[in-house]
Amino acid sequence: SKVIKEQICRRYTLDTGLESICLRYCWVWQPDTYRQHFASWADTPEQFVGQLWGYVDVRDVAQAVARSVEAPNIEHETLLISADRTFARQPSLELAERFLPAGIPVRNESWFADEPRRTLMDCTRAKEVIGFVPEHDCWEEAGQMV
């Protein structure tokens, strides 16, 4: 259904010239999510294969929406919005190898060189187009709360 809605927006933009930005958020966390669930979720990665261990803080969602409204000269964009790191304790490539189907290629292993827990979701386009920068990171916040 997300793809269909994005295609409707793209078509509407083509037909009318009205700019549109579709934001795709992964699992949205509120500040109390860290306190309540982080420790148990971080230690059970098998439960969250479908989310690819990704999340985004609700405050960063608000930032992405505000930046989208203010973005100049956009025709149509679909942008992924995620935190820069996963909430799992294990390195992302290790999780991918262990839980994802065999044979899925890693396009760029250097993506994980400086941050082994970097998200498997690439938000580079959102950073380029609207200047999105995730500011809230569960690792730092959970370390203070758990």
Side-chain angles (χ1 to χ4, degrees):
S1 67
K2 291 177 187 176
V3 172
I4 291 171
K5 291 173 187 174
E6 292 161 0
Q7 290 174 346
I8 289 170
C9 286
R10 180 179 303 279
R11 182 75 247 167
Y12 194 77
T13 295
L14 290 172
D15 289 347
T16 67
L18 183 66
E19 298 173 350
S20 62
I21 297 178
C22 299
L23 300 177
R24 275 197 177 199
Y25 318 117
C26 57
W27 193 4
V28 179
W29 285 21
Q30 297 183 35
D32 67 337
T33 305
Y34 305 130
R35 285 188 299 276
Q36 294 175 2
H37 302 290
F38 176 78
S40 62
W41 288 348
D43 290 329
T44 56
E46 63 278 0
Q47 292 184 47
F48 303 103
V49 174
Q51 286 94 358
L52 295 175
W53 310 279
Y55 77 101
V56 64
D57 189 287
V58 69
R59 295 165 289 186
D60 288 333
V61 168
Q63 176 213 148
V65 170
R67 288 178 180 272
S68 295
V69 170
E70 297 169 354
N73 304 319
I74 302 295
E75 288 184 19
H76 172 80
E77 290 284 343
T78 297
L79 304 172
L80 186 60
I81 304 299
S82 172
D84 281 335
R85 296 191 283 179
T86 71
F87 62 84
R89 296 188 195 278
Q90 300 82 2
S92 298
L93 289 177
E94 180 183 309
L95 291 169
E97 184 177 322
R98 183 172 170 202
F99 294 109
L100 297 180
I104 295 177
V106 175
R107 288 188 301 173
N108 184 1
E109 287 194 30
S110 65
W111 173 258
F112 304 96
D114 64 333
E115 176 49 70
R117 291 180 180 90
R118 187 176 308 276
T119 183
L120 296 169
M121 296 175 238
D122 186 354
C123 296
T124 302
R125 187 76 181 145
K127 292 173 180 181
E128 294 169 350
V129 172
I130 62 171
F132 173 68
V133 179
E135 296 174 355
H136 301 279
D137 185 295
C138 73
W139 281 97
E140 293 169 13
E141 298 199 20
Q144 296 169 8
M145 296 180 202
V146 175

